[in-house]
Amino acid sequence: GAYTCAVSASMVTSLGCQYVLCGHSERRTVFKDDDEAINKKVLKVIEDGMRPVLCIGETEEEYDAGLCADVCKLQLAKDLAGVSASDMKDVVIAYEPVWAIGTGKVCPCDVAQQVHKTIRDYLAELYDRSTADAVRIQYGGSVTPESVDELMAQPDIDGCLVGGASLVAEKFARICNFVRK
């Protein structure tokens, strides 16, 4: 569809897709998807043999109020309800600081790293350390060719969920070919 995640699971499966975004910030804000709806989507994606990319993150107001960790933990707890530790091998988490998407504002790499560590540590509480360490956690807050090298140098950032920069071939190619520090 014209909007992120505006297709059915059967349509995505018929195209051979393996990964499906669940909880993308656009769905949360524009379509008012709540955590109960997102959880149902995560479970459906797993049931249909695909891999959910669970997007979580805070608004600018929540960030300014120091609620980032609390918001992310709450979203993880609700959105992963009923997902077993064995199913987590197929789940990707994408941290999207909503306030940094398409705004020109940049989440500092040390802040992104701290949030990713918080997410991984909370996954260890929900499941166990081995499961948490195996989960891929991506950063998705306006990744650019200028920010990708430093982001990918962080120990808990396992990849990037690229938005607008993927629409410009040169930018996307540079992001895909980041330089590991």
Side-chain angles (χ1 to χ4, degrees):
Y3 292 99
T4 303
C5 302
V7 293
S8 69
S10 62
M11 290 172 64
V12 174
T13 303
S14 74
L15 294 171
C17 294
Q18 297 177 0
Y19 293 87
V20 177
L21 296 177
C22 299
H24 188 273
S25 59
E26 181 180 274
R27 297 291 312 181
R28 289 180 188 267
T29 56
V30 175
F31 293 96
K32 307 297 184 217
D33 281 4
D34 62 12
D35 291 307
E36 182 180 343
I38 293 163
N39 176 249
K40 288 178 182 176
K41 291 176 185 184
V42 167
L43 295 171
K44 177 66 173 161
V45 167
I46 293 169
E47 177 187 318
D48 286 357
M50 295 178 289
R51 297 176 173 147
V53 178
L54 175 59
C55 302
I56 63 169
E58 78 286 357
T59 64
E60 187 169 18
E61 295 77 22
E62 292 165 335
Y63 177 76
D64 290 341
L67 298 173
C68 176
D70 293 333
V71 169
C72 289
K73 287 177 180 181
L74 183 63
Q75 290 172 342
L76 287 168
K78 289 183 174 185
D79 299 347
L80 293 174
V83 177
S84 70
S86 64
D87 285 335
M88 286 302 293
K89 71 182 180 324
D90 293 325
V91 175
V92 175
I93 306 296
Y95 168 59
E96 295 186 295
V98 178
W99 53 270
I101 299 172
T103 64
K105 297 179 181 179
V106 177
C107 181
C109 288
D110 61 327
V111 172
Q113 164 54 28
Q114 183 55 51
V115 175
H116 279 70
K117 183 178 182 327
T118 297
I119 292 167
R120 196 171 307 281
D121 288 347
Y122 189 64
L123 289 172
E125 289 179 35
L126 290 175
Y127 299 99
D128 56 62
R129 176 52 60 187
S130 176
T131 299
D133 288 344
V135 171
R136 183 178 303 145
I137 305 174
Q138 299 180 330
Y139 175 77
S142 294
V143 178
T144 66
E146 296 75 32
S147 66
V148 68
D149 295 339
E150 191 175 355
L151 285 166
M152 290 304 297
Q154 305 304 312
D156 287 296
I157 298 178
D158 301 320
C160 295
L161 181 64
V162 183
S166 67
L167 301 176
V168 179
E170 296 80 20
K171 288 182 177 184
F172 191 51
R174 170 63 183 90
I175 292 168
C176 290
N177 294 299
F178 70 91
V179 178
R180 181 148 328 258
K181 294 182 178 186

